[in-house]
Amino acid sequence: MRLLKLIPDNTNIGFVRIRHIAFAVTLLLTIAAVALVGIRGLNMGVDFVGGVSIEEKFTNAPQVDEVRSTVNGLGFGEATLQQLGGKNTVTIRLPVPNSSDPAAVDQMVERVKSALAAKFPGASFSNYSTVSGKVSDELIRNGVLAVLLAIIGIAIFSWLRYEWQFGVSTAVAILHDVLMTLGFFALTWMVFDLNIVAAVLTIIGYSINDKMVIDDRIRENMRKYRKMGMAELIDLSVNETLPRTVMTSLTILLALGSLLIFGGHVLRSFTAAMMLGVIVGTYSSIYVSSSLLITLGLKPGPREEKPSPAANAERVGPREG
């Protein structure tokens, strides 16, 4: 079992010592991510920009990559495919340049039907539906609202459970993780749809779980080592939880790596977002969230509680007449 240990016992890595460098790198990456999103934008999927969903039935389960290449070759944009039921039915989602024009939509659907019928003999068209701009705008608002409420809720929970410094540092670290993910999609130009929103929420859940483990150990050591310096105490806490953090992240990355290789095109964007989120979330837990507690002025020792009036009266004692 000793050979399987990636992190040896009694590690003593000085994470806090380089916190200023980590803060500078984090700030530069965050600014770069925001700039990429602002300048380049995101490659929004049909869920967010509107489009058409076509349902096609095949005599036998087709190769999804062949269907995708056939549809993408028509020049309407990148298609998103999903197999339904016994995998003989495939849903094809395409963006439409002018989804409000019924004639343009009908023409596009006819071209897709003809191309699939020629490539796959026996394929038959079932139906199609369009996603309007109004619905897509509502999905964008709901997606952004879900992410913001998740961050705010986690910050409030950390504030109430620990100290206010924990709530602020956790919110900053999670916001950093979300911005890094958005910057990655702006850089790679992968399709950003509702599946990626689900991935972002999953990343937030993983990140907060990792941070809570470290925060619990920091609070425990604050009560145990009241005379220890805060920098030394945080290094001790992070090193104590480091084996758990590394093993958890590595296990998740192995599973996601399998999905990335064997999951196909449909899961590629989701898996890439999850892998990036695990790496960035682990980094922010160690270098951003924990080290930021020193900058925010957190001190060792439990929070002092004000004595109640009854306790004051008991300590002073009754007055002599």
Side-chain angles (χ1 to χ4, degrees):
M1 294 299 294
R2 293 181 178 179
L3 297 177
L4 297 177
K5 287 186 177 180
L6 298 177
I7 305 298
D9 296 331
N10 301 321
T11 56
N12 187 23
I13 303 174
F15 296 105
V16 176
R17 184 175 55 206
I18 60 172
R19 71 181 186 277
H20 297 297
I21 299 176
F23 287 164
V25 172
T26 301
L27 181 61
L28 290 176
L29 290 176
T30 303
I31 293 175
V34 174
L36 277 172
V37 175
I39 297 174
R40 186 179 175 86
L42 297 172
N43 184 16
M44 294 293 191
V46 177
D47 296 328
F48 295 133
V49 298
V52 61
S53 176
I54 303 171
E55 188 175 297
E56 189 81 7
K57 291 184 178 180
F58 299 83
T59 54
N60 298 310
Q63 292 292 331
V64 177
D65 291 337
E66 293 184 7
V67 178
R68 180 180 293 107
S69 61
T70 301
V71 177
N72 288 345
L74 298 175
F76 294 117
E78 185 176 356
T80 302
L81 276 65
Q82 182 179 4
Q83 289 181 299
L84 304 176
K87 297 186 178 180
N88 288 3
T89 302
V90 178
T91 298
I92 305 167
R93 290 186 295 175
L94 282 168
V96 180
N98 186 10
S99 59
S100 61
D101 184 3
V105 175
D106 292 339
Q107 184 180 4
M108 186 193 70
V109 172
E110 288 298 328
R111 288 189 59 188
V112 172
K113 287 168 51 180
S114 301
L116 292 177
K119 180 69 175 180
F120 303 93
S124 60
F125 170 76
S126 179
N127 59 72
Y128 79 91
S129 60
T130 58
V131 179
S132 66
K134 182 178 180 180
V135 174
S136 61
D137 291 341
E138 184 178 351
L139 291 175
I140 293 176
R141 288 195 302 270
N142 291 340
V144 173
L145 182 61
V147 174
L148 290 179
L149 289 178
I151 296 175
I152 294 173
I154 290 169
I156 294 175
F157 174 79
S158 299
W159 190 330
L160 297 176
R161 179 176 173 83
Y162 306 112
E163 306 279 348
W164 67 268
Q165 290 94 337
F166 287 95
V168 174
S169 65
T170 299
V172 170
I174 293 177
L175 184 61
H176 161 266
D177 299 345
V178 173
L179 291 177
M180 289 297 100
T181 304
L182 295 179
F184 170 77
F185 275 88
L187 178 65
T188 60
W189 204 239
M190 290 184 177
V191 177
F192 191 93
D193 53 18
L194 285 178
N195 292 329
I196 307 305
V197 175
V200 170
L201 293 175
T202 306
I203 291 169
I204 292 176
Y206 168 80
S207 184
I208 187 59
N209 179 68
D210 197 22
K211 290 169 177 56
M212 285 295 176
V213 171
I214 299 177
D215 289 348
D216 271 327
R217 185 57 59 90
I218 291 175
R219 186 179 65 167
E220 178 183 341
N221 287 335
M222 285 172 60
R223 296 175 176 177
K224 187 177 181 180
Y225 306 104
R226 299 188 182 186
K227 295 183 179 180
M228 183 181 291
M230 199 64 206
E232 185 181 358
L233 189 146
I234 289 178
D235 276 340
L236 173 64
S237 303
V238 175
N239 279 284
E240 287 178 346
T241 56
L242 191 60
R244 180 263 176 200
T245 299
V246 172
M247 286 301 298
T248 302
S249 300
L250 182 61
T251 303
I252 296 175
L253 287 175
L254 288 175
L256 291 174
S258 300
L259 283 177
L260 185 65
I261 297 173
F262 304 108
H265 186 276
V266 176
L267 296 176
R268 190 162 298 157
S269 298
F270 177 86
T271 307
M274 287 293 299
M275 294 184 72
L276 176 70
V278 170
I279 296 172
V280 172
T282 303
Y283 164 81
S284 65
S285 297
I286 296 175
Y287 285 106
V288 178
S289 178
S290 302
S291 298
L292 191 60
L293 296 173
I294 300 177
T295 305
L296 295 175
L298 185 65
K299 302 296 182 182
R303 181 168 41 190
E304 296 183 359
E305 297 182 357
K306 296 181 180 180
S308 62
N312 286 330
E314 182 177 352
R315 183 170 60 251
V316 173
R319 295 182 179 179
E320 296 182 358

